[in-house]
Amino acid sequence: MKESSRISALFLSIFFFPVVIHVAQVRAEVSDMSTLRREREGYFPLYDCPQCLDRQDQSNISFAAHPDEKDIDIIVTYSDPSGAVRIRSVRSRDLSASWVWKNPSNENYGLTKSSQVVDDPFQPKMSSTVQGRHSTNDRQYGSEMRNPKSSAVHPLKLKRRMLRRERRERRTAELIQQDKEVDNQMQEAAIKRAMELDTTLKGKYSIWRKEYENPNSDSTVKLMRDQIIMARAYATVAKAKNNNMLYDSLMEHSRESQLAIGEATSDSELHPSALDQAKAMGHILSTAKDQLYHCMTIAKKLRAMLQSSETNVNELKKKSAFLIQLAAKTVPKPLHCLPLLLTTEYFLRGYEEKDFPNKEKLEDPSLYHYAIFSDNVLAASVVVNSTVLHVKEPEKHVFHVVTDKLNFAAMKMWFLVNPPAGAAIQVQNVDDFTWLNSSYCPVLRQLESARMIEYYFKAHQTSSLTAGSDNLKYRNPKYLSMLNHLRFYLPEVYPKLDKILFLDDDIVIQKDLTPLWSVNLQGMVNGAVETCKESFHRFDKYLNFSNPKISENFDPNSCGWAFGMNIFDLKEWRKRDITGIYHHWQDMNEDRTLWKLGTLPPGLITFYNLTYPLDRSWHVLGLGYDPALNLTEIDNAAVVHYNGNYKPWLDLAIAKYKSYWSRYVMFDNIYLQLCNINE
């Protein structure tokens, strides 16, 4: 028994001894590695920031305050960012306050070191082995390493948090304030719109008007029109294949669908039965498709229908252009009635012996003089009425109206019966200007030539209605009248005047024009509003620059301007012999190769580099052809001009512009009522 005990003891001593030696060697190696590492990198107690150094001092103070605690060496193993295993040795007195010591038998131990412990999940895990330097009776502690950054929050960090919080609060307050400002602006805009709302116009502000319509509001109308097209295509194929029953059915449904649509442009305008008709058409088209559909055949038929429609549209466009030109040059029956009635009254009542008062003002250069050349009594009356209504001192304004022999009696009768309030007026007959003859005026000489007569009076011999439409614009009868060319002879007509304002008869005056006489023309002869916009209304539109006489003397990009409201300096006109320049170019254009007939092209040439541009607000053009003008510009304009075919006294007039003219018409006048001229 003793022998066996000795053998066991010997075995244990042999086994235990190498283990102790191995542990001692490992400890020595670790100690040597730690020493070498401290020597190579410099010993530092796991502090990597200045704040941590402060914690070190606090830890040392804390350690000194507890002398009964043992100074323990701690070997720490951890993984660096590259993944390599590192070993470091520290002492317990070098630990910061963030370290917590735990006793397995007392979990509350160590709370005096730090009252706030925060786990950091992003910090690498560390394990520590603690070995006491004294006897085995000493207490053994387990350690748990915490991230130094997760310790009690540093004052700088707290300050940064407070600053971030303050910034968030300020930004929130700013956004709330912006929302309040936007709400206030929306409320003010809504109040303003409500104040501007015109409740007298019923239905104008309904939410059911065009701009609020559903984009698919005409889907049924479009469907039915498409069905009609397809029905006609299938009907042609059915007839070619002698399927008369299907052909008759398709044509009948096409007629019924066309009647159901009528003039509707949206689904709301359709009759309630239209949807049933669309369904019935769908059934017959389905039947036709089953019996007749062939891709190539249908495609050819639709292509032929498209080409036929394009041809018809082009023909209708030409006819429409011709008819518009014809309608624009035709005198409506009421306007034809008015001069006849006035002429009859003029001779029956003996007005030929009467004359206008204030003759002494007609040649006074200190007054404001207007020149109006017109054969339209109603149009001339609107120009005079609208001008007088806006002037401050009508007694200082003089109107010179010149008309032709045919309308002289009617024009004089009108202004004798309806004289402009306070202003002086003169009515003259262009045929009384004996100096204006063919020997002096190139235009009269050209109009009397056989070639010009053929051009004007044999235009009806064209082979078709549309053949003569291209040049119909230039066959306007106004080009045969000297009233249109009299504007180039103003100094001869008014030899004692220094300045005069020329007005067309298709304009309306909306402001006082007196300031125009104070405009400094800077040595120019003509004051006019320029009409060029980007590449439009420049010289190359009016003149033939393929002719060297034009291309060598004028710039094709020069800006055009408008007749209709022009202030002329007659003194400068006489000085520069403007009428002589006009005669020179008219003689060169006898064969009409430099420009077509009209007064604007020779006006651009005659006053080239002699035109002073006025502000655009003085003269707004286009009311006789452009339905998309800016209404604000029209309202703010001093003069609005109905240049174009859609004159305000015609049924062709653009409806939304007509009121600017009709407000100055004396509809209560007995002569207008007798001729059925009303609003």
Side-chain angles (χ1 to χ4, degrees), residues 90-162:
V90 297
R91 293 182 179 180
S92 61
R93 66 183 180 184
D94 295 333
L95 297 176
S96 66
S98 63
W99 284 78
V100 179
W101 298 92
K102 289 187 179 180
N103 189 339
S105 62
N106 184 8
E107 291 295 326
N108 295 327
Y109 183 81
L111 293 178
T112 57
K113 274 200 174 275
S114 177
S115 60
Q116 297 181 3
V117 180
V118 182
D119 292 333
D120 189 349
F122 299 97
Q123 196 68 9
K125 295 182 179 180
M126 298 184 183
S127 61
S128 60
T129 304
V130 183
Q131 183 174 357
R133 293 182 177 179
H134 304 284
S135 64
T136 58
N137 293 331
D138 293 342
R139 288 182 300 178
Q140 298 182 5
Y141 301 93
S143 68
E144 180 175 306
M145 186 175 182
R146 303 285 180 173
N147 183 8
K149 295 181 181 179
S150 302
S151 63
V153 181
H154 193 272
L156 291 176
K157 191 172 183 180
L158 286 174
K159 187 174 182 179
R160 287 195 296 270
R161 289 181 180 176
M162 292 176 63

Side-chain angles (χ1 to χ4, degrees), residues 241-349:
K241 294 186 176 183
N242 296 322
N243 192 340
N244 295 327
M245 183 178 297
L246 184 57
Y247 169 80
D248 294 338
S249 181
L250 287 168
M251 295 305 296
E252 181 181 356
H253 279 82
S254 296
R255 287 190 293 269
E256 292 177 356
S257 294
Q258 191 65 55
L259 291 173
I261 294 174
E263 297 181 358
T265 58
S266 63
D267 295 351
S268 60
E269 299 174 2
L270 290 173
H271 191 272
S273 62
L275 187 59
D276 295 334
Q277 177 59 36
K279 292 179 180 179
M281 176 66 92
H283 291 310
I284 191 64
L285 286 176
S286 178
T287 303
K289 181 180 178 181
D290 293 339
Q291 298 182 19
L292 306 173
Y293 182 77
H294 184 268
C295 183
M296 292 300 297
T297 304
I298 297 299
K300 290 179 180 179
K301 180 56 185 175
L302 291 175
R303 191 178 298 112
M305 292 173 65
L306 177 60
Q307 293 174 351
S308 176
S309 298
E310 290 179 350
T311 302
N312 292 336
V313 168
N314 291 333
E315 290 295 325
L316 290 174
K317 283 183 178 179
K318 291 180 180 179
K319 291 180 180 180
S320 175
F322 178 86
L323 294 174
I324 288 175
Q325 292 286 344
L326 186 62
K329 309 313 179 246
T330 303
V331 179
K333 185 178 179 180
L335 290 185
H336 185 64
C337 165
L338 182 61
L340 291 178
L341 183 60
L342 289 170
T343 301
T344 303
E345 289 287 304
Y346 178 79
F347 289 107
L348 286 178
R349 296 179 179 271

Side-chain angles (χ1 to χ4, degrees), residues 524-543:
M524 303 296 181
V525 179
N526 173 29
V529 172
E530 293 182 335
T531 58
C532 56
K533 296 179 181 179
E534 297 177 354
S535 61
F536 301 105
H537 296 287
R538 298 188 182 271
F539 272 42
D540 58 353
K541 177 181 178 181
Y542 304 100
L543 305 176

Side-chain angles (χ1 to χ4, degrees), residues 406-452:
L406 183 63
N407 294 280
F408 173 73
M411 190 77 71
K412 186 177 179 181
M413 178 66 184
W414 175 268
F415 286 109
L416 284 172
V417 177
N418 306 289
I425 191 167
Q426 176 190 32
V427 178
Q428 295 175 282
N429 181 3
V430 67
D431 294 329
D432 292 338
F433 301 151
T434 56
W435 51 268
L436 194 63
N437 49 56
S438 58
S439 61
Y440 175 67
C441 178
V443 173
L444 281 176
R445 185 167 60 251
Q446 292 171 11
L447 290 176
E448 293 175 359
S449 67
R451 182 166 50 184
M452 192 67 71

